Amino acid sequence: MRNFLLTTCLGAAAVFAAGGAFANDELLKLSQDAKQWVMPTGDYANTRYSKLNQINAGNVGKLQVAWTFSTGVLRGHEGGPLIVGDVMYVHGPFPNPVFALDLKNDGKILWKYEPKQDPNVIPVMCCDTVNRGVAYGDGKIFLHQADTTLVALDAKTGKVVWSAKNGDPGKGETGTSAPMVVKDKVLIGISGGEFGVRCHVTAYDLKTGKQAWRGYSMGPDSDVLIDPVKTTELGKPVGQNSSVKTWQGDQWKIGGGCTWGWLSFDPEQNAVFYGSGNPSTWNPKQRPGDNKWSMTVWSRDADTGMAKWVYQMTPHDEWDYDGVNEMILADQNIGGANRKTLVHFDRNGLAYTLDRTNGELLVAEKYDPKVNWTSGVDMNKQSPTYGRPKVIAQYSTEQNGEDVNSKNICPAALGTKDEQPAAYSPETGLFYVPTNHVCMDYEPFKVSYTAGQPYVGATLAMYPPQGETNMGNFIAWDAKTGKIVWSNKELFSVWSGALATAGGVVFYGTLEGYLKAVDAKTGKELYKFKTPSGIIGNVTTYEHGGRQYVAILSGIGGWAGIGLAAGLTDPKAGLGAVGGYAGLRDYTSLGGQLTVFALPQ
Amino acid sequence: MRNFLLTTCLGAAAVFAAGGAFANDELLKLSQDAKQWVMPTGDYANTRYSKLNQINAGNVGKLQVAWTFSTGVLRGHEGGPLIVGDVMYVHGPFPNPVFALDLKNDGKILWKYEPKQDPNVIPVMCCDTVNRGVAYGDGKIFLHQADTTLVALDAKTGKVVWSAKNGDPGKGETGTSAPMVVKDKVLIGISGGEFGVRCHVTAYDLKTGKQAWRGYSMGPDSDVLIDPVKTTELGKPVGQNSSVKTWQGDQWKIGGGCTWGWLSFDPEQNAVFYGSGNPSTWNPKQRPGDNKWSMTVWSRDADTGMAKWVYQMTPHDEWDYDGVNEMILADQNIGGANRKTLVHFDRNGLAYTLDRTNGELLVAEKYDPKVNWTSGVDMNKQSPTYGRPKVIAQYSTEQNGEDVNSKNICPAALGTKDEQPAAYSPETGLFYVPTNHVCMDYEPFKVSYTAGQPYVGATLAMYPPQGETNMGNFIAWDAKTGKIVWSNKELFSVWSGALATAGGVVFYGTLEGYLKAVDAKTGKELYKFKTPSGIIGNVTTYEHGGRQYVAILSGIGGWAGIGLAAGLTDPKAGLGAVGGYAGLRDYTSLGGQLTVFALPQ
């Protein structure tokens, strides 16, 4: 009966979708106009590549600040602005103001929207009060508030068109991620993995805010929107109740698998892609089994939400290697064949190249040589453990047991990369990846679940790899072979989203506050500028009035900057004990500013 | 007996002063080095003029942002940084952080000091939580905290050397003004005129923080440090108890006369200069008499604090024309004679040129033609009202009476100019004055005094002059003749301190957030740049590594920006009903940033 209903619902959704094709066409077309930047990811493929080349490797050294804007909010500023026509939309962390700025008039404020939210949401935001950006579509701006309200604003006036409640902050569910508009729907994930919530991606109708579909990361097939036969993993049907049977009892109900990373969309496949996060508590002993489908790459049908294929990267997580990082849809030539690939840099330190049409695993290699918890992924298709990472016993926090401090595990819980999105240049064929170069001590302990209370179950300390002082690298990656092409050391994690351009330049920000431009081929530093505060935002470019601009949000915070952002004076305090970043206080201070650069006129 | 004791004390002070000559020599020398900016006023004379000319009228259009820094605090950022050697000292509003930034290393933070203060001081700060800057002397940085603590920090380490309590926030006494180091002492005023405090300037020993002298604005001669015979006004001895006899009963004890403006010092005269503020309650009916020595220009002996001369500009204030604005010590040729003059742009809309050696009144003219409460100052030396402003009955809130709304009085309570300091260029012989072009309705009402509670006694509304839309002008003033030479309209008050340079350029900021450079001779706009937030800070220049820099603090707030800074949604709410500034929200948002400019290399 459940399957019957499901099929019926899907049919209805498919019919409904046809009527929304316009929104998709408009947005698809806008996203192909290099002069604008109409979605937080730049394009549906999440390449963060721009065809603009007015600013190039030869002249980027002359870049200067064109104008600036303060958001009026301190703490971590993730994400970046949208540019739609003559208007720039700028967002901020809690209380989540949104500004529409007039590009024809030095950023004059056309409108400002600031929701009224219960400040009690702040304590249930695990890793600063961040927000990763707004989405545009159908003449509306979509904001996912900290309190999980998804609100649609009239892009011209800032007036609320509709709002929908995506979750319950009382249970620890919060909103930090950016929505993505796909055809006639707006899709959004949810945060709260450290509070034992069960996460999902949900699609809302663009015009009304009515829920169209919701796919959970774990639970019965009907909740997860999995078809036991048609949904595959590594080419095989996942079978019935593929999720529930990998959990003990009802643990899937508090199973995490959060969905706060960046979404991607492949119009040709009509598929959305994203990763699901850690299986809630960081104490692996407490949740036996593979904990599916946490830590998983997802491909879902954009209209129905039904899972096309899944791939669990880190079964039974023992390190909080949250699998939420973005999927970059960039075709690669693998072994002489052009493949429709998806490239993903996971928190677990492995970079995956998959066939995005079917989830076939093509490449899985470490993108930081210090990664030590695994010797790599079993690539033998005949092996019963095909596709699974081989865990080194010394770094297995499960095997070491509760209340045992496992030392020098690399990467640390915040991963070789976290939410900071990488970029891809079709010209060089390289991926540009902001990375963390951080290891940890990890001690799991027994924790009990109370709704709305932290459900972490591990203490940890984070620091650079032994004998090293740099906590970050900015690397160029060849996803065809799984090799680092060049690597630039950074003092702290590079927690800023990269931008690659047709000018042969790659941009990124640093936690000290520098915006940097490097040569896409060699990594040579061509330009740097000290913005008012540390950068955890993503670099954006656009053209207006015939002039190319580069924009970046400053505002130290996020997980790496939480010590400064939340005013923790004890470097060992806070989630994940970000003591290694204590030195940040010598470089920067809280802020919330947009800096816009251009060449001299 | 009282006089005897006073004389003895003065003798002791004079002896003590000799030992402190070193500090004065060092600071005097430093202040003459155009490459540094060692006091908030730029120099002792408060000219805000720099001999640097690398940036000049011919090339200022090419100015670009060199680096930036966020203070980590929102709300109004008045004042500006100090530059001493290779270090820049940046301050912020409550909670009053002080940063020492390394100019050799892109502003890396050498140390940060942030006092622990009771946040209950915030509600007793009348006009935003501003702080106007720190002072340097004897290897120490002096900070006047919001809670009136004067703290001396080791300039190298930021460690507290000593601290002194200058007032009691429980009574409404607060610290907003910048200290000035004079010889072996550090001098500081105090705020709280709207809370019925009795204000003073106090000198503390540079090395120990021990109080050296304190001169009240009103009270017995021994409190005010007035010698009935030697202290003069307009050339005549003031006589015994010149203050107390101009008040009813004990009203002088809650008489205001606050002292939060900029101090000046003339080493040749060994005299410090400053203005005292409004006589507490804004309801003139409640305090009969001239209310001396509120609204007064003061010249005091730097060693003893004894008043050399006084000049009360606005006896018996009826409009809150707080007389605190700075005294600029710039010699002028008046009627063919070179005079050691002092120029002062008062809140009451009159610009005064006085002989600073004796307080002789040379020029008193309106510096905004819209000023209407007075027809001018009686300049007839033979007149019994010599030196007093002639009040137009229609605009006399005293004559109109309590609970009567007097309309269209110009200027408004925040004056034709407030604390935003003017600049003087010896090359052009002109004064560059940031002004408010604002009028008001004013309705006094009966108010009773309770310590620590507002003691205002008037409601008002402020708006541009009838038929006009610009609320500010930036003007060039000839203090020899009392005439405007040129005037640039600004949409809002110019609440930023000006800077004049040997490059023939004058700089100032606007409430929308623009830093502007104009031609010193003509006022022609040569450059503008939109900083992250509205500017109420003062422009500073310095040279480092052979390159001239211009620095400005952004951060909307202060009296004009209080609507935005304190998040008042009702444009008529707040002290002084700053409704005319409600439009600011279309231009800028809260911030706290330093922007440093230079020419391209």
Side-chain angles (χ1 to χ4, degrees), chain A residues 64 66 68 70 72 74 106 108-109 514 529-532 585-586 589-591 593, chain B residues 64 68 70 72 74 106 108-109 514 529-532 585-586 589-591 593:
Chain A
Q64 59 177 241
T68 59
S70 177
L74 302 174
D106 281 359
K108 193 184 170 196
I109 301 169
Y514 287 104
F529 176 87
K530 185 99 186 267
T531 69
R585 71 185 56 164
D586 295 337
S589 192
L590 294 195
Q593 301 91 7
Chain B
Q64 59 176 240
T68 59
S70 176
L74 302 174
D106 280 358
K108 194 184 169 194
I109 302 169
Y514 287 104
F529 176 87
K530 186 100 185 266
T531 69
R585 70 184 58 164
D586 295 336
S589 192
L590 294 194
Q593 301 89 10

mmCIF file of all heavy atoms in Angstrom, chain A residues 64 66 68 70 72 74 106 108-109 514 529-532 585-586 589-591 593, chain B residues 64 68 70 72 74 106 108-109 514 529-532 585-586 589-591 593:
data_model
loop_
_atom_site.group_PDB
_atom_site.id
_atom_site.type_symbol
_atom_site.label_atom_id
_atom_site.label_comp_id
_atom_site.label_asym_id
_atom_site.label_seq_id
_atom_site.Cartn_x
_atom_site.Cartn_y
_atom_site.Cartn_z
ATOM 1 N N GLN A 64 42.068 46.693 -7.680
ATOM 2 C CA GLN A 64 41.872 47.594 -6.539
ATOM 3 C C GLN A 64 40.426 47.529 -6.059
ATOM 4 O O GLN A 64 39.548 46.993 -6.751
ATOM 5 C CB GLN A 64 42.294 49.016 -6.878
ATOM 6 C CG GLN A 64 41.565 49.632 -8.044
ATOM 7 C CD GLN A 64 41.996 51.085 -8.273
ATOM 8 O OE1 GLN A 64 41.194 52.003 -8.190
ATOM 9 N NE2 GLN A 64 43.262 51.274 -8.553
ATOM 10 N N ALA A 66 36.848 48.613 -5.428
ATOM 11 C CA ALA A 66 35.930 49.527 -6.108
ATOM 12 C C ALA A 66 34.920 50.108 -5.124
ATOM 13 O O ALA A 66 34.668 51.302 -5.108
ATOM 14 C CB ALA A 66 35.214 48.803 -7.233
ATOM 15 N N THR A 68 32.632 49.057 -1.130
ATOM 16 C CA THR A 68 32.528 48.154 0.009
ATOM 17 C C THR A 68 31.169 48.334 0.653
ATOM 18 O O THR A 68 30.476 49.319 0.414
ATOM 19 C CB THR A 68 33.619 48.467 1.052
ATOM 20 O OG1 THR A 68 33.458 49.820 1.468
ATOM 21 C CG2 THR A 68 35.013 48.272 0.489
ATOM 22 N N SER A 70 29.019 47.157 4.485
ATOM 23 C CA SER A 70 28.968 46.444 5.755
ATOM 24 C C SER A 70 27.581 45.845 5.943
ATOM 25 O O SER A 70 26.573 46.507 5.698
ATOM 26 C CB SER A 70 29.265 47.415 6.905
ATOM 27 O OG SER A 70 29.142 46.758 8.148
ATOM 28 N N GLY A 72 26.330 44.958 8.738
ATOM 29 C CA GLY A 72 25.761 45.323 10.027
ATOM 30 C C GLY A 72 25.669 44.167 11.003
ATOM 31 O O GLY A 72 25.041 44.276 12.055
ATOM 32 N N LEU A 74 28.085 40.965 12.875
ATOM 33 C CA LEU A 74 29.400 40.367 13.087
ATOM 34 C C LEU A 74 29.265 38.846 12.966
ATOM 35 O O LEU A 74 28.236 38.340 12.566
ATOM 36 C CB LEU A 74 29.943 40.775 14.460
ATOM 37 C CG LEU A 74 30.065 42.288 14.687
ATOM 38 C CD1 LEU A 74 30.470 42.585 16.121
ATOM 39 C CD2 LEU A 74 31.076 42.894 13.724
ATOM 40 N N ASP A 106 26.473 52.793 -6.601
ATOM 41 C CA ASP A 106 27.434 52.545 -5.514
ATOM 42 C C ASP A 106 26.873 51.666 -4.399
ATOM 43 O O ASP A 106 27.262 51.821 -3.236
ATOM 44 C CB ASP A 106 27.897 53.865 -4.881
ATOM 45 C CG ASP A 106 28.959 54.561 -5.718
ATOM 46 O OD1 ASP A 106 29.346 54.024 -6.764
ATOM 47 O OD2 ASP A 106 29.400 55.647 -5.300
ATOM 48 N N LYS A 108 23.729 51.510 -3.261
ATOM 49 C CA LYS A 108 22.643 52.072 -2.451
ATOM 50 C C LYS A 108 21.640 50.949 -2.123
ATOM 51 O O LYS A 108 21.413 50.048 -2.942
ATOM 52 C CB LYS A 108 21.955 53.202 -3.228
ATOM 53 C CG LYS A 108 21.036 54.031 -2.356
ATOM 54 C CD LYS A 108 20.264 55.108 -3.110
ATOM 55 C CE LYS A 108 19.215 55.693 -2.182
ATOM 56 N NZ LYS A 108 18.191 56.457 -2.875
ATOM 57 N N ILE A 109 21.053 51.024 -0.941
ATOM 58 C CA ILE A 109 20.189 49.940 -0.474
ATOM 59 C C ILE A 109 18.786 50.118 -1.053
ATOM 60 O O ILE A 109 18.072 51.057 -0.692
ATOM 61 C CB ILE A 109 20.150 49.919 1.073
ATOM 62 C CG1 ILE A 109 21.569 49.720 1.623
ATOM 63 C CG2 ILE A 109 19.214 48.808 1.563
ATOM 64 C CD1 ILE A 109 21.702 49.943 3.118
ATOM 65 N N TYR A 514 42.960 37.837 3.821
ATOM 66 C CA TYR A 514 43.460 38.171 2.484
ATOM 67 C C TYR A 514 42.555 37.606 1.396
ATOM 68 O O TYR A 514 42.162 36.443 1.459
ATOM 69 C CB TYR A 514 44.857 37.589 2.260
ATOM 70 C CG TYR A 514 45.939 38.312 3.013
ATOM 71 C CD1 TYR A 514 46.491 37.765 4.164
ATOM 72 C CD2 TYR A 514 46.400 39.554 2.571
ATOM 73 C CE1 TYR A 514 47.487 38.428 4.868
ATOM 74 C CE2 TYR A 514 47.395 40.227 3.272
ATOM 75 C CZ TYR A 514 47.938 39.658 4.420
ATOM 76 O OH TYR A 514 48.910 40.326 5.109
ATOM 77 N N PHE A 529 45.189 41.095 -1.016
ATOM 78 C CA PHE A 529 44.662 42.307 -0.387
ATOM 79 C C PHE A 529 44.058 41.931 0.954
ATOM 80 O O PHE A 529 43.314 40.960 1.059
ATOM 81 C CB PHE A 529 43.584 42.955 -1.277
ATOM 82 C CG PHE A 529 42.949 44.156 -0.627
ATOM 83 C CD1 PHE A 529 43.507 45.409 -0.766
ATOM 84 C CD2 PHE A 529 41.798 44.017 0.151
ATOM 85 C CE1 PHE A 529 42.939 46.512 -0.142
ATOM 86 C CE2 PHE A 529 41.232 45.111 0.788
ATOM 87 C CZ PHE A 529 41.798 46.358 0.630
ATOM 88 N N LYS A 530 44.342 42.731 1.971
ATOM 89 C CA LYS A 530 43.850 42.428 3.320
ATOM 90 C C LYS A 530 42.484 43.079 3.529
ATOM 91 O O LYS A 530 42.376 44.291 3.677
ATOM 92 C CB LYS A 530 44.848 42.948 4.357
ATOM 93 C CG LYS A 530 44.522 42.583 5.803
ATOM 94 C CD LYS A 530 45.309 41.400 6.321
ATOM 95 C CE LYS A 530 44.898 40.947 7.707
ATOM 96 N NZ LYS A 530 45.698 41.552 8.784
ATOM 97 N N THR A 531 41.452 42.263 3.543
ATOM 98 C CA THR A 531 40.096 42.769 3.772
ATOM 99 C C THR A 531 39.882 42.987 5.275
ATOM 100 O O THR A 531 40.710 42.572 6.086
ATOM 101 C CB THR A 531 39.046 41.790 3.219
ATOM 102 O OG1 THR A 531 39.051 40.615 4.026
ATOM 103 C CG2 THR A 531 39.330 41.421 1.764
ATOM 104 N N PRO A 532 38.762 43.614 5.655
ATOM 105 C CA PRO A 532 38.621 44.003 7.070
ATOM 106 C C PRO A 532 38.638 42.844 8.065
ATOM 107 O O PRO A 532 39.049 43.015 9.204
ATOM 108 C CB PRO A 532 37.260 44.712 7.098
ATOM 109 C CG PRO A 532 37.027 45.181 5.706
ATOM 110 C CD PRO A 532 37.657 44.148 4.828
ATOM 111 N N ARG A 585 43.670 35.315 16.284
ATOM 112 C CA ARG A 585 43.421 36.593 16.966
ATOM 113 C C ARG A 585 44.560 37.601 16.733
ATOM 114 O O ARG A 585 44.381 38.781 16.990
ATOM 115 C CB ARG A 585 43.212 36.361 18.463
ATOM 116 C CG ARG A 585 44.465 35.969 19.206
ATOM 117 C CD ARG A 585 44.186 35.644 20.661
ATOM 118 N NE ARG A 585 43.172 34.588 20.745
ATOM 119 C CZ ARG A 585 42.918 33.868 21.840
ATOM 120 N NH1 ARG A 585 43.587 34.114 22.950
ATOM 121 N NH2 ARG A 585 42.020 32.922 21.839
ATOM 122 N N ASP A 586 45.693 37.113 16.267
ATOM 123 C CA ASP A 586 46.788 38.043 15.952
ATOM 124 C C ASP A 586 46.641 38.655 14.564
ATOM 125 O O ASP A 586 47.427 39.530 14.185
ATOM 126 C CB ASP A 586 48.137 37.315 16.019
ATOM 127 C CG ASP A 586 48.446 36.843 17.423
ATOM 128 O OD1 ASP A 586 47.895 37.414 18.371
ATOM 129 O OD2 ASP A 586 49.230 35.883 17.562
ATOM 130 N N SER A 589 39.887 40.375 13.286
ATOM 131 C CA SER A 589 38.886 40.652 14.306
ATOM 132 C C SER A 589 37.527 40.450 13.643
ATOM 133 O O SER A 589 37.418 40.414 12.422
ATOM 134 C CB SER A 589 39.103 42.105 14.741
ATOM 135 O OG SER A 589 38.385 42.394 15.896
ATOM 136 N N LEU A 590 36.497 40.344 14.432
ATOM 137 C CA LEU A 590 35.159 40.118 13.869
ATOM 138 C C LEU A 590 34.767 41.217 12.887
ATOM 139 O O LEU A 590 35.145 42.363 13.037
ATOM 140 C CB LEU A 590 34.102 40.097 14.980
ATOM 141 C CG LEU A 590 34.158 38.967 15.991
ATOM 142 C CD1 LEU A 590 32.858 38.909 16.772
ATOM 143 C CD2 LEU A 590 34.433 37.635 15.340
ATOM 144 N N GLY A 591 33.962 40.836 11.923
ATOM 145 C CA GLY A 591 33.487 41.809 10.947
ATOM 146 C C GLY A 591 32.352 41.233 10.141
ATOM 147 O O GLY A 591 31.883 40.121 10.406
ATOM 148 N N GLN A 593 31.698 42.316 6.119
ATOM 149 C CA GLN A 593 31.827 43.305 5.048
ATOM 150 C C GLN A 593 31.920 42.628 3.690
ATOM 151 O O GLN A 593 32.489 41.553 3.563
ATOM 152 C CB GLN A 593 33.103 44.155 5.233
ATOM 153 C CG GLN A 593 33.184 44.909 6.524
ATOM 154 C CD GLN A 593 33.874 44.133 7.623
ATOM 155 O OE1 GLN A 593 34.423 43.061 7.408
ATOM 156 N NE2 GLN A 593 33.834 44.669 8.826
ATOM 157 N N GLN B 64 43.671 54.668 -3.993
ATOM 158 C CA GLN B 64 43.039 53.356 -3.883
ATOM 159 C C GLN B 64 43.188 52.812 -2.469
ATOM 160 O O GLN B 64 44.000 53.307 -1.676
ATOM 161 C CB GLN B 64 43.567 52.401 -4.938
ATOM 162 C CG GLN B 64 45.045 52.155 -4.900
ATOM 163 C CD GLN B 64 45.463 51.121 -5.930
ATOM 164 O OE1 GLN B 64 46.012 50.079 -5.600
ATOM 165 N NE2 GLN B 64 45.212 51.425 -7.177
ATOM 166 N N THR B 68 42.685 47.225 5.017
ATOM 167 C CA THR B 68 41.480 47.489 5.807
ATOM 168 C C THR B 68 41.559 46.678 7.102
ATOM 169 O O THR B 68 42.350 45.755 7.222
ATOM 170 C CB THR B 68 40.221 47.066 5.030
ATOM 171 O OG1 THR B 68 40.324 45.678 4.730
ATOM 172 C CG2 THR B 68 40.072 47.846 3.734
ATOM 173 N N SER B 70 38.821 45.485 10.524
ATOM 174 C CA SER B 70 37.550 45.547 11.230
ATOM 175 C C SER B 70 37.822 45.599 12.728
ATOM 176 O O SER B 70 38.647 44.849 13.244
ATOM 177 C CB SER B 70 36.721 44.307 10.892
ATOM 178 O OG SER B 70 35.528 44.299 11.636
ATOM 179 N N GLY B 72 35.682 44.831 14.964
ATOM 180 C CA GLY B 72 34.914 43.809 15.668
ATOM 181 C C GLY B 72 33.787 44.368 16.513
ATOM 182 O O GLY B 72 33.180 43.651 17.311
ATOM 183 N N LEU B 74 30.258 47.036 16.314
ATOM 184 C CA LEU B 74 29.353 47.832 15.502
ATOM 185 C C LEU B 74 29.093 49.161 16.221
ATOM 186 O O LEU B 74 29.720 49.472 17.200
ATOM 187 C CB LEU B 74 28.045 47.061 15.254
ATOM 188 C CG LEU B 74 28.225 45.694 14.571
ATOM 189 C CD1 LEU B 74 26.896 44.951 14.496
ATOM 190 C CD2 LEU B 74 28.826 45.823 13.188
ATOM 191 N N ASP B 106 51.036 44.570 7.169
ATOM 192 C CA ASP B 106 49.623 44.606 6.753
ATOM 193 C C ASP B 106 48.645 44.736 7.915
ATOM 194 O O ASP B 106 47.528 44.208 7.857
ATOM 195 C CB ASP B 106 49.247 43.329 5.989
ATOM 196 C CG ASP B 106 49.697 43.380 4.535
ATOM 197 O OD1 ASP B 106 50.264 44.406 4.134
ATOM 198 O OD2 ASP B 106 49.474 42.390 3.827
ATOM 199 N N LYS B 108 48.958 43.505 11.030
ATOM 200 C CA LYS B 108 48.886 42.373 11.965
ATOM 201 C C LYS B 108 48.713 42.906 13.392
ATOM 202 O O LYS B 108 49.267 43.961 13.734
ATOM 203 C CB LYS B 108 50.162 41.530 11.866
ATOM 204 C CG LYS B 108 50.029 40.181 12.547
ATOM 205 C CD LYS B 108 51.298 39.357 12.544
ATOM 206 C CE LYS B 108 51.105 38.172 13.472
ATOM 207 N NZ LYS B 108 52.350 37.484 13.806
ATOM 208 N N ILE B 109 47.939 42.192 14.195
ATOM 209 C CA ILE B 109 47.602 42.675 15.536
ATOM 210 C C ILE B 109 48.738 42.375 16.509
ATOM 211 O O ILE B 109 48.998 41.217 16.829
ATOM 212 C CB ILE B 109 46.275 42.046 16.021
ATOM 213 C CG1 ILE B 109 45.144 42.376 15.039
ATOM 214 C CG2 ILE B 109 45.932 42.519 17.433
ATOM 215 C CD1 ILE B 109 43.868 41.586 15.274
ATOM 216 N N TYR B 514 30.885 57.714 2.233
ATOM 217 C CA TYR B 514 31.917 58.134 1.284
ATOM 218 C C TYR B 514 33.083 58.816 1.990
ATOM 219 O O TYR B 514 32.870 59.693 2.841
ATOM 220 C CB TYR B 514 31.348 59.119 0.255
ATOM 221 C CG TYR B 514 30.444 58.482 -0.764
ATOM 222 C CD1 TYR B 514 29.068 58.639 -0.684
ATOM 223 C CD2 TYR B 514 30.967 57.722 -1.806
ATOM 224 C CE1 TYR B 514 28.217 58.052 -1.622
ATOM 225 C CE2 TYR B 514 30.133 57.129 -2.746
ATOM 226 C CZ TYR B 514 28.765 57.295 -2.649
ATOM 227 O OH TYR B 514 27.936 56.709 -3.570
ATOM 228 N N PHE B 529 35.023 57.570 -2.432
ATOM 229 C CA PHE B 529 35.040 56.109 -2.308
ATOM 230 C C PHE B 529 34.032 55.703 -1.243
ATOM 231 O O PHE B 529 33.987 56.299 -0.170
ATOM 232 C CB PHE B 529 36.442 55.625 -1.920
ATOM 233 C CG PHE B 529 36.497 54.140 -1.686
ATOM 234 C CD1 PHE B 529 36.730 53.271 -2.740
ATOM 235 C CD2 PHE B 529 36.275 53.606 -0.413
ATOM 236 C CE1 PHE B 529 36.746 51.896 -2.534
ATOM 237 C CE2 PHE B 529 36.279 52.234 -0.203
ATOM 238 C CZ PHE B 529 36.513 51.385 -1.268
ATOM 239 N N LYS B 530 33.252 54.673 -1.546
ATOM 240 C CA LYS B 530 32.220 54.220 -0.605
ATOM 241 C C LYS B 530 32.809 53.189 0.352
ATOM 242 O O LYS B 530 33.076 52.050 -0.035
ATOM 243 C CB LYS B 530 31.053 53.618 -1.384
ATOM 244 C CG LYS B 530 29.853 53.230 -0.543
ATOM 245 C CD LYS B 530 28.731 54.263 -0.587
ATOM 246 C CE LYS B 530 27.593 53.938 0.345
ATOM 247 N NZ LYS B 530 26.512 53.208 -0.271
ATOM 248 N N THR B 531 32.998 53.598 1.580
ATOM 249 C CA THR B 531 33.525 52.681 2.600
ATOM 250 C C THR B 531 32.377 51.809 3.129
ATOM 251 O O THR B 531 31.217 52.051 2.815
ATOM 252 C CB THR B 531 34.179 53.460 3.764
ATOM 253 O OG1 THR B 531 33.153 54.141 4.491
ATOM 254 C CG2 THR B 531 35.204 54.466 3.260
ATOM 255 N N PRO B 532 32.699 50.774 3.940
ATOM 256 C CA PRO B 532 31.659 49.813 4.300
ATOM 257 C C PRO B 532 30.475 50.398 5.055
ATOM 258 O O PRO B 532 29.365 49.894 4.942
ATOM 259 C CB PRO B 532 32.402 48.801 5.176
ATOM 260 C CG PRO B 532 33.829 48.909 4.789
ATOM 261 C CD PRO B 532 34.021 50.342 4.430
ATOM 262 N N ARG B 585 19.144 54.812 6.234
ATOM 263 C CA ARG B 585 19.029 53.360 6.107
ATOM 264 C C ARG B 585 19.035 52.919 4.640
ATOM 265 O O ARG B 585 19.222 51.746 4.357
ATOM 266 C CB ARG B 585 17.762 52.868 6.821
ATOM 267 C CG ARG B 585 16.477 53.275 6.130
ATOM 268 C CD ARG B 585 15.266 52.848 6.924
ATOM 269 N NE ARG B 585 15.313 53.435 8.260
ATOM 270 C CZ ARG B 585 14.287 53.504 9.090
ATOM 271 N NH1 ARG B 585 13.129 52.988 8.752
ATOM 272 N NH2 ARG B 585 14.403 54.065 10.273
ATOM 273 N N ASP B 586 18.823 53.862 3.728
ATOM 274 C CA ASP B 586 18.878 53.515 2.304
ATOM 275 C C ASP B 586 20.309 53.530 1.773
ATOM 276 O O ASP B 586 20.552 53.161 0.625
ATOM 277 C CB ASP B 586 18.043 54.498 1.470
ATOM 278 C CG ASP B 586 16.566 54.403 1.810
ATOM 279 O OD1 ASP B 586 16.134 53.339 2.297
ATOM 280 O OD2 ASP B 586 15.850 55.397 1.591
ATOM 281 N N SER B 589 24.730 50.671 6.483
ATOM 282 C CA SER B 589 24.373 49.731 7.530
ATOM 283 C C SER B 589 25.453 49.798 8.603
ATOM 284 O O SER B 589 26.543 50.313 8.361
ATOM 285 C CB SER B 589 24.313 48.347 6.870
ATOM 286 O OG SER B 589 23.734 47.417 7.709
ATOM 287 N N LEU B 590 25.183 49.255 9.768
ATOM 288 C CA LEU B 590 26.162 49.325 10.857
ATOM 289 C C LEU B 590 27.488 48.689 10.456
ATOM 290 O O LEU B 590 27.526 47.746 9.682
ATOM 291 C CB LEU B 590 25.649 48.578 12.094
ATOM 292 C CG LEU B 590 24.425 49.131 12.794
ATOM 293 C CD1 LEU B 590 24.279 48.484 14.166
ATOM 294 C CD2 LEU B 590 24.510 50.631 12.945
ATOM 295 N N GLY B 591 28.556 49.205 11.032
ATOM 296 C CA GLY B 591 29.870 48.633 10.759
ATOM 297 C C GLY B 591 30.882 49.148 11.750
ATOM 298 O O GLY B 591 30.532 49.864 12.694
ATOM 299 N N GLN B 593 34.915 49.714 10.710
ATOM 300 C CA GLN B 593 36.062 49.348 9.880
ATOM 301 C C GLN B 593 37.005 50.525 9.697
ATOM 302 O O GLN B 593 36.577 51.671 9.619
ATOM 303 C CB GLN B 593 35.620 48.903 8.474
ATOM 304 C CG GLN B 593 34.690 47.735 8.426
ATOM 305 C CD GLN B 593 33.228 48.146 8.497
ATOM 306 O OE1 GLN B 593 32.896 49.321 8.405
ATOM 307 N NE2 GLN B 593 32.357 47.191 8.679
#
